[in-house]
Amino acid sequence: MAKKPNQGTICVQSGWRPKNGEPRMLPIFQSTTFKYDDSDQMARLFDLKDTGYFYTRLQNPTNDTVADKIKELEGGVAAMLTSSGQAASFYSVFNICEAGSHFIASNNIYGGTYNLFGVTMKKLGIDCTFFDPDCTDEEIERLIKPNTKCIFGETISNPGCHVFDIERFARMAHRHGLPLIIDNTFATPINCRPIEWGADIVIHSTTKYLDGHATSVGGCIVDSGNFDWLAHAEKFPGLCQPDESYHGLTYAKAFGKNAFITKATAQIMRDLGSIQSPFNAFLLNLGIETLHLRMQRHCENAKRVAEFLSKNEKVAWISYPGLPTDKYYSLGQKYLPEGSCGVIAFGLKGDRETAIKFMDSLRMISIVTHVADARTCVLHPASHTHRQLSEDQLRAAGIAPDLIRLSVGIEDVEDIIADIKQALGE
């Protein structure tokens, strides 16, 4: 049996495997549509009886090749790209929910996802209850109802840098016949593979580390293939009952381990259309080719910066799971032994204006509405990404008014620290 390639080799070599005389680089199939000589073959594609391409809103060869690479990195059986990480979050839940459904989610997730789950999806008749991951199993399990469809969390929370106990929540979800959905954006499959810890669905904002260069907005959903939908058929009618829009086809019976992604593609993507462009998928693939190298540098730099901040008298507090003093250090060692990510959360002594003055004094480090790319950048979540949340919601999500999210890049770490020093007035 051939040895499974290591993650670095998958980053570089997987996905596009050219045959004799074909382009070495992944081609960009920049076409909306695909030609067929036989009308019946096109009909079979529309009926999901054949595999192939007919319209890029559903599938495209460039996109599928990159999705296959991410699938292999995560250890799943099927994957699909979306136009954004937000679309991946929405599709991953909406694919198994409908009006009248309920799900539970960690309360310290990204602010945009919090708003999507807590406000927008409620307008669709889908209710979300947020929980504190540090609560006891009993407290969290009391939130699970007969109509609950999944549990959702982030491997490393954005922006608080809390580590989610994947194995614990996978056990909890499976006790109740629910899938666990994990957003693995910050850790990436280089530093954590949630499926190996029991997660059923893994999603990414590929806009972040996977792309790595702030060029392309995108998302990805990976299915482990491990959740038995038919064993809980009454909970998941969308997968386990006939779909009249496909002549009564039942996804779980027709597609087995590929049922989740097939439904997400053939039904949800068909109707909502949040497809990633082939050109963005091409750029994403270029980013993934160096992911294993960049993540190592991000983590090395972030640890050095975190150590500097933890010893600085102007810093009030710091959250970074790579520090032995951090609350989530033990979980970080369990799930992220090679390093967590390049993101650090910290606060300065003073008030909100102190944080703003610090950021405005930075020279090399940029204030941008982004995180997790090659360049070091900074953001004040309470004023920016999470400003739609109330003070109570901010506190519930573990976001203090003084929280600064620093995304450490791959520049020379001495220059990063020097810029922080001068911004602190040192």
Side-chain angles (χ1 to χ4, degrees), residues 46-58:
F46 271 96
D47 284 343
L48 305 182
K49 293 178 179 178
D50 277 353
T51 58
Y53 299 96
F54 51 92
Y55 197 59
T56 283
R57 189 179 78 232
L58 279 87

Side-chain angles (χ1 to χ4, degrees), residues 85 88-97 103-106 109 113 117 121 131 149-155 164 166 169-170 173-174 178-184 194-195 198-204 220-224 227 229 236 260:
S89 297
F90 177 51
Y91 282 18
S92 67
V93 175
F94 191 60
N95 199 37
I96 52 176
C97 286
F103 67 103
I104 66 172
S106 168
I109 54 177
T113 311
F117 290 171
M121 291 187 73
F131 63 85
K149 300 300 179 76
C150 65
I151 298 177
F152 185 99
E154 294 176 351
T155 307
F164 195 74
I166 301 169
F169 285 97
H174 297 158
L178 306 175
L180 175 64
I181 303 175
I182 291 294
D183 184 334
N184 199 35
I195 290 170
D200 300 290
I201 309 294
V202 175
I203 67 169
H204 287 273
C220 185
I221 305 172
V222 181
D223 181 15
S224 70
F227 193 82
W229 304 104
F236 306 104
F260 185 89

Side-chain angles (χ1 to χ4, degrees), residues 2 21 30 35 64 95 145 161 192 201 217 224 248 281 311 388 411:
Q30 195 67 41
K35 174 185 176 295
D64 283 358
N95 199 37
K145 308 173 184 179
C161 297
C192 183
I201 309 294
V217 174
S224 70
K311 297 171 184 174
Q388 74 273 24
E411 306 95 340

Side-chain angles (χ1 to χ4, degrees), residues 44-337:
R44 290 179 63 81
L45 290 170
F46 271 96
D47 284 343
L48 305 182
K49 293 178 179 178
D50 277 353
T51 58
Y53 299 96
F54 51 92
Y55 197 59
T56 283
R57 189 179 78 232
L58 279 87
Q59 288 178 289
N60 177 282
T62 306
N63 292 27
D64 283 358
T65 298
V66 182
D68 282 347
K69 177 179 282 192
I70 299 172
K71 172 199 74 178
E72 190 171 350
L73 285 167
E74 286 288 6
V77 299
M80 65 180 286
L81 297 187
T82 60
S83 60
S84 67
Q86 195 77 324
S89 297
F90 177 51
Y91 282 18
S92 67
V93 175
F94 191 60
N95 199 37
I96 52 176
C97 286
E98 56 194 25
S101 295
H102 170 260
F103 67 103
I104 66 172
S106 168
N107 65 358
N108 54 23
I109 54 177
Y110 164 60
T113 311
Y114 192 103
N115 196 68
L116 167 67
F117 290 171
V119 179
T120 303
M121 291 187 73
K122 189 169 289 187
K123 296 175 183 177
L124 300 175
I126 300 168
D127 192 35
C128 179
T129 302
F130 295 99
F131 63 85
D132 181 349
D134 292 335
C135 285
T136 65
D137 286 11
E138 292 74 19
E139 288 174 301
I140 295 169
E141 289 185 87
R142 279 200 291 269
L143 303 176
I144 296 174
K145 308 173 184 179
N147 63 335
T148 302
K149 300 300 179 76
C150 65
I151 298 177
F152 185 99
E154 294 176 351
T155 307
I156 303 170
S157 68
N158 177 11
C161 297
H162 302 172
V163 180
F164 195 74
D165 194 342
I166 301 169
E167 190 173 35
R168 174 195 174 204
F169 285 97
R171 286 196 302 266
M172 197 183 305
H174 297 158
R175 276 199 300 271
H176 293 270
L178 306 175
L180 175 64
I181 303 175
I182 291 294
D183 184 334
N184 199 35
T185 296
F186 272 11
T188 82
I190 299 302
N191 287 342
C192 183
R193 284 161 50 106
I195 290 170
E196 295 177 354
W197 296 102
D200 300 290
I201 309 294
V202 175
I203 67 169
H204 287 273
S205 170
T206 62
T207 316
K208 311 305 190 298
Y209 285 123
L210 268 71
D211 169 82
H213 300 85
T215 64
S216 309
V217 174
C220 185
I221 305 172
V222 181
D223 181 15
S224 70
N226 293 332
F227 193 82
D228 189 345
W229 304 104
L230 287 171
H232 310 284
E234 73 287 350
K235 276 187 175 292
F236 306 104
L239 283 158
C240 302
Q241 292 181 11
D243 179 358
E244 296 309 319
S245 70
Y246 276 110
H247 311 295
L249 176 147
T250 300
Y251 295 99
K253 292 178 180 177
F255 299 103
K257 288 183 177 295
N258 290 323
F260 185 89
I261 293 297
T262 302
K263 179 179 180 292
T265 302
Q267 186 189 84
I268 308 300
M269 187 65 80
R270 175 198 66 190
D271 294 344
L272 300 180
S274 301
I275 194 70
Q276 187 169 147
S277 79
F279 184 67
N280 277 16
F282 173 81
L283 294 175
L284 170 59
N285 187 62
L286 289 180
I288 294 173
E289 288 185 357
T290 60
L291 178 65
H292 58 301
L293 302 176
R294 289 185 287 104
M295 287 310 295
Q296 183 178 4
R297 181 63 174 260
H298 280 295
C299 292
E300 289 173 354
N301 282 0
K303 188 174 182 182
R304 285 277 308 278
V305 173
E307 289 169 347
F308 163 76
L309 291 171
S310 68
K311 297 171 184 174
N312 191 285
E313 62 181 16
K314 295 182 180 179
V315 174
W317 60 271
I318 181 168
S319 178
Y320 185 70
L323 292 175
T325 54
D326 191 82
K327 177 180 179 180
Y328 297 96
Y329 180 75
S330 294
L331 283 177
Q333 291 302 294
K334 175 179 178 177
Y335 295 113
L336 308 151

